[in-house]
């Protein structure tokens, strides 16, 4: 099973600042990597798939990069509605796995 | 509009059986994988498994193989997740979701509480 490791566990950022979240796979997943946002009491929402393609309706301030084993989600200028938990997920093989999440909180 | 509507919250005792459901609409139910994700209280997301309703091909995470059963009834566009004998550690929110590799659409979640 591919293990996904996200860092940091918690990221404290001021509104308007840039946030950079990392996700590492225990073996190559090519570009088969997605990012999700989850707010308290809500189901997750797809942000990015294919490592760098924004899902429908996702603002341009969200961007994804990377391939193989190293991936990054960047939020260019944090808005109040962006404070949430973010998960990466690999879908390179049939046993898909999530990272443990990064909580983005207000500094 | 794609919608996944899950059955309501459940409170069960250890050892009891349970089957929760997820009804899809707004898309071709038989043409997309649909699966389940667990979220234990205060914890992260865990991928459990998926089914292709068109031919009932089913895949499980090794962590959940043998612990749950995923099924689907394509005649009513509904997927299921079932347990034969619940444990307290099965207490969690369970989400159904359509899969295109990535997870496109999510249900609203079904909270399962197992307590004596």
């Amino acid at each position: 099973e591919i293990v996904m490791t996200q860092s940091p566990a918690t990221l404290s950022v001021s509104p308007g600042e840039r946030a950079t979240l990392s996700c590492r796979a225990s073996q190559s997943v090519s570009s088969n990597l997605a990012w999700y946002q989850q707010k308290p009491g809500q189901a997750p929402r797809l942000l990015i798939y294919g490592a760098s393609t924004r899902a429908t309706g996702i603002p341009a301030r969200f961007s994804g990069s990377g391939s193989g084993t190293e991936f990054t989600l960047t939020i260019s200028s944090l808005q109040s509605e962006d404070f949430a938990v973010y998960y990466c997920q690999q879908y390179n093989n049939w046993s898909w796995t999530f990272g443990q999440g990064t909580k983005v909180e207000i500094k | 509009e794609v919608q996944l509507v899950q059955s309501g919250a459940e409170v069960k005792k250890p050892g009891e059986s349970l089957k929760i459901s997820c009804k899809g609409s707004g898309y071709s139910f038989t043409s997309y994988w649909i699966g389940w994700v667990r979220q234990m209280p205060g914890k992260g997301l865990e991928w459990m498994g998926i089914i292709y309703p068109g031919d009932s091909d089913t895949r499980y995470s090794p962590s959940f193989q043998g612990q749950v059963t995923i099924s689907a009834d394509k005649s009513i566009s509904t997927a299921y997740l079932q347990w034969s004998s619940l444990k307290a550690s099965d207490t969690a929110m369970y989400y159904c979701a359509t899969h295109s590799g990535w997870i496109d659409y999510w249900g609203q979640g079904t909270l399962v509480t197992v307590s004596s």
Side-chain angles (χ1 to χ4, degrees):
Chain A
E1 186 173 89
I2 298 175
V3 177
M4 307 301 292
T5 303
Q6 292 186 239
S7 61
T10 303
L11 187 60
S12 298
V13 186
S14 299
E17 289 188 339
R18 182 187 200 89
T20 303
L21 290 66
S22 296
C23 175
R24 175 176 293 178
S26 61
Q27 63 189 75
S28 177
V29 298
S30 187
S31 294
N32 297 314
L33 190 286
W35 290 94
Y36 304 88
Q37 176 194 68
Q38 188 179 32
K39 297 179 181 179
Q42 295 184 17
R45 176 175 71 145
L46 175 68
L47 298 176
I48 301 283
Y49 62 93
S52 60
T53 302
R54 276 191 303 278
T56 303
I58 301 303
R61 64 180 181 272
F62 291 92
S63 63
S65 63
S67 66
T69 62
E70 300 283 344
F71 301 89
T72 300
L73 175 70
T74 302
I75 312 171
S76 60
S77 176
L78 271 157
Q79 306 298 302
S80 57
E81 62 267 29
D82 301 334
F83 292 96
V85 180
Y86 293 82
Y87 296 93
C88 62
Q89 177 232 341
Q90 66 81 18
Y91 50 94
N92 190 61
N93 61 23
W94 280 111
S95 188
W96 300 337
T97 46
F98 289 95
Q100 80 280 17
T102 291
K103 181 179 181 180
V104 177
E105 64 176 25
I106 300 175
K107 187 174 182 180
Chain B
E1 179 195 7
V2 174
Q3 283 198 308
L4 298 173
V5 179
Q6 298 185 228
S7 50
E10 301 275 0
V11 180
K12 291 289 191 179
K13 294 186 182 334
E16 291 186 331
S17 62
L18 176 65
K19 191 174 189 177
I20 62 175
S21 67
C22 169
K23 183 172 176 61
S25 63
Y27 73 103
S28 175
F29 184 76
T30 54
S31 300
Y32 290 89
W33 293 86
I34 186 166
W36 296 89
V37 175
R38 183 175 79 174
Q39 188 166 38
M40 298 176 77
K43 302 298 184 183
L45 305 173
E46 299 174 272
W47 185 80
M48 301 177 72
I50 50 173
I51 187 166
Y52 191 76
D55 61 7
S56 295
D57 186 7
T58 308
R59 314 291 175 99
Y60 293 92
S61 162
S63 300
F64 292 93
Q65 179 84 48
Q67 308 304 308
V68 297
T69 301
I70 294 171
S71 60
D73 184 341
K74 60 186 179 184
S75 70
I76 55 172
S77 300
T78 300
Y80 302 96
L81 177 66
Q82 69 181 91
W83 296 259
S84 58
S85 181
L86 286 160
K87 303 185 279 286
S89 57
D90 292 318
T91 294
M93 181 71 80
Y94 293 88
Y95 293 101
C96 67
T98 61
H99 289 58
S100 298
W102 58 90
I103 298 175
D104 312 85
Y105 298 96
W106 298 74
Q108 82 277 19
T110 295
L111 180 63
V112 173
T113 303
V114 184
S115 175
S116 54

